[in-house]
Amino acid sequence: MKYYHMNIAGLDRDLPICPLNEKISIAGFVLLGDYELTEACAKALLTKLPEHDYMIAPEAKSIGLINEMARLSGQKKHFIARKAMKAYMTDPLTVSVKSITTKSTQTLYLDRADADMIKGKRIVIVDDVISTGESLAAVEKLIEEAGGEVVCKAAVLAEGDAAQRSDIIFLEELPLIFND
């Protein structure tokens, strides 16, 4: 297997190169299970955030990151845009999304109780990687439907063209890898 070497939040990591199709590969970035990197990224991202009331992340790879960011900042509550309807959810908001790393269209869900807490609040969206921005846009739509205000969109890595966006903050650029 081939790897792409990066320094992220002061830590060196070798990311496995994973083909998306015949022309493009990506360096697979997974924070889950890497507590050292999760903590370092959480600390670094927190220094870049504006004032906010709550944070939200899409399920699932960003859950550890947002948990650590909330712990370090002393925030008692944050939200997860779920990828499946759960029995405890009542009248959830829903948005469909097609991400670069998933094969089919997904639906994101936000419980009505969470949506009610978001109403009128300043919200930061947190993700591990922003690539096409589709997941980000879906979470942003959930927040808008809930009546919240997105004050920041933050990620550990911005992949490909996302690194040129002026509406996100991120720690490092992650290039797309074009196959020969």
Side-chain angles (χ1 to χ4, degrees):
M1 177 167 274
K2 294 182 180 181
Y3 294 89
Y4 181 79
H5 183 80
M6 285 191 77
N7 185 283
I8 309 162
L11 298 173
D12 289 325
R13 292 297 185 267
D14 290 316
L15 309 179
I17 296 175
C18 309
L20 283 182
N21 57 45
E22 292 177 1
K23 297 179 182 180
I24 299 175
S25 293
I26 59 172
F29 179 68
V30 179
L31 279 172
L32 293 173
D34 190 338
Y35 186 79
E36 179 185 38
L37 185 58
T38 300
E39 182 179 35
C41 291
K43 285 179 182 176
L45 275 177
L46 283 170
T47 67
K48 296 176 172 264
L49 298 185
E51 270 200 45
H52 61 281
D53 298 303
Y54 296 115
M55 296 180 290
I56 187 171
E59 191 174 46
K61 292 190 316 179
S62 298
I63 291 175
L65 176 64
I66 196 171
N67 285 341
E68 184 63 11
M69 290 174 74
R71 186 187 74 77
L72 290 170
S73 67
Q75 252 184 359
K76 303 284 186 226
K77 179 72 177 162
H78 59 277
F79 305 100
I80 304 298
R82 304 298 303 259
K83 290 184 179 176
M85 176 72 171
K86 301 298 179 184
Y88 60 79
M89 292 181 158
T90 305
D91 189 27
L93 301 180
T94 63
V95 171
S96 293
V97 62
K98 175 76 172 104
S99 170
I100 192 172
T101 56
T102 56
K103 293 185 188 253
S104 60
T105 300
Q106 296 180 343
T107 302
L108 293 180
Y109 300 86
L110 183 65
D111 187 53
R112 177 63 58 185
D114 291 345
D116 290 346
M117 290 181 74
I118 286 172
K119 186 175 183 174
K121 301 297 185 191
R122 300 166 297 174
I123 309 298
V124 170
I125 301 172
V126 176
D127 209 346
D128 60 337
V129 178
I130 296 174
S131 187
T132 64
E134 294 298 320
S135 296
L136 186 69
V139 175
E140 191 167 14
K141 187 172 180 187
L142 281 175
I143 293 165
E144 289 169 1
E145 287 185 18
E149 175 193 1
V150 176
V151 295
C152 182
K153 297 170 266 191
V156 174
L157 303 176
E159 185 173 54
D161 291 342
Q164 307 310 311
R165 291 176 58 162
S166 61
D167 66 325
I168 62 172
I169 63 167
F170 57 93
L171 300 180
E172 300 293 337
E173 291 184 33
L174 183 63
L176 291 173
I177 301 162
F178 295 94
N179 302 329
D180 297 329

